[in-house]
Amino acid sequence: MSQLSPSTALPLDGQALLLQIRLLGEIGAEPEQDGRTRIALTDADKAGRDQLLRWMEALDLEIRIDRIGNIFGTLRADGDQQAPLMIGSHIDSVANAGALDGCYGVLAGLAVVRAFREAGVRPTRPITVAAFTNEEGVRYQPDMMGSLVHAGGLNVDAALETLGTDGTRLGDELVRIGYAGDLEPGALVPHEYLELHIEQGPVLEVEGVQIGVVENLQGISWQQVTVKGSANHAGTTPMHLRHDAGSVAAAAITHLREIAVDGTLATVGCLRLEPNLINVIPRKAVFTVDLRDPDEARLQAAEKRLADALAHLAETEGVEIHSERLVRFEPVIFDSDLASAIAASANRLGFSHRRMTSGAGHDAQMIARIAPAAMIFVPSQGGVSHNPREHTSDELLLTGAEVLLDVVCQRLARS
């Protein structure tokens, strides 16, 4: 096999990449809804994992699975024990999802390895393609769990004890589907980490830009707020004598619009009332709050404004309010040298690009705790994601993969 040099240009088998995206997208398909559902550690997720392993085996990769179920396929550099350049993402999905979120990044990693294999070029350091467990956090929380455990941010034994929304234990489900590996999480510490992803937002498409150079990710604060009031008759209880949990929840949710200023985003995605009857004042309201901001100080300020508002409502409305933290991740700044390398590759290949912030969480933000990391975005049509209408043109998908391959070649040429 030949060695890689800075001038080496490896051809990308774009059709193989697009075919694998389509085939993986058929696993867990729900034709009546036009989407697919591969919730982490379900039978559909197992089927997706099984297919990914077959593709890794076809490329003669060294496959390892760790105790949290993360999958690693490594193309070895002859006689070389250096830390790998890692390319990763995830293949689990939300319910009724599109075909690209996460999967594109994993399969583009395979496309990079395939380019080396087909050209007969030996990498100067190992290349590892990673598929992390439970990125979406639909069934088990927190989200980005596999990469968080890999980076040492969550103890693996604690993660295995996590109970899902369906009452299952995560460790039991890993065993059931055959993906409870023996590798200790974090054993493969990457030299550098790259993640290619659809934007999941409208910025690149609106601006007509082909490549997003992701420099940082927003901090994320998830809370569940529980309001306890008193149920009573809707027709006989005067307004000033009510302890209405539903009304208090509505006031808090409305106040979030005032909190969401200067770049802060605030969302209430779940709301439940009890007893949920038309003629009964709610005795209980439970709702979630998703706060995001790329600036840690602003995120903390938003959290405090929410806490102050809830305390004021509890006092004035005569209700009890309890807030439970579900997830808290600080903003992440990616490696500037790696981001500049992405921009340089886009320039070299003649693709337009812009530097940007990611509003969504990704496995890259966890791996950035232990290695230099950065992300590449391609446009999302209409900014749609987590939806069967999620779409990026084949041309743009291949554009992103070509940039990824070029970055890998340039970084390895320096090794």
Side-chain angles (χ1 to χ4, degrees), residues 318-341:
V319 298
E320 295 180 23
I321 300 180
H322 172 71
S323 182
E324 175 188 1
R325 174 176 288 182
L326 301 177
V327 171
R328 182 57 162 83
F329 298 129
E330 292 186 2
V332 173
I333 299 175
F334 285 134
D335 184 75
S336 59
D337 183 52
L338 203 48
S340 293

Side-chain angles (χ1 to χ4, degrees), residues 69-88:
N70 295 325
I71 298 170
F72 303 98
T74 299
L75 174 63
R76 284 289 171 196
D78 290 348
D80 182 18
Q81 297 302 315
Q82 294 185 82
L85 189 158
M86 186 178 288
I87 305 166

Side-chain angles (χ1 to χ4, degrees), residues 266-280:
T267 303
V268 173
C270 302
L271 172 62
R272 183 178 76 251
L273 299 179
E274 295 179 11
N276 201 35
L277 299 173
I278 192 170
N279 61 347
V280 179

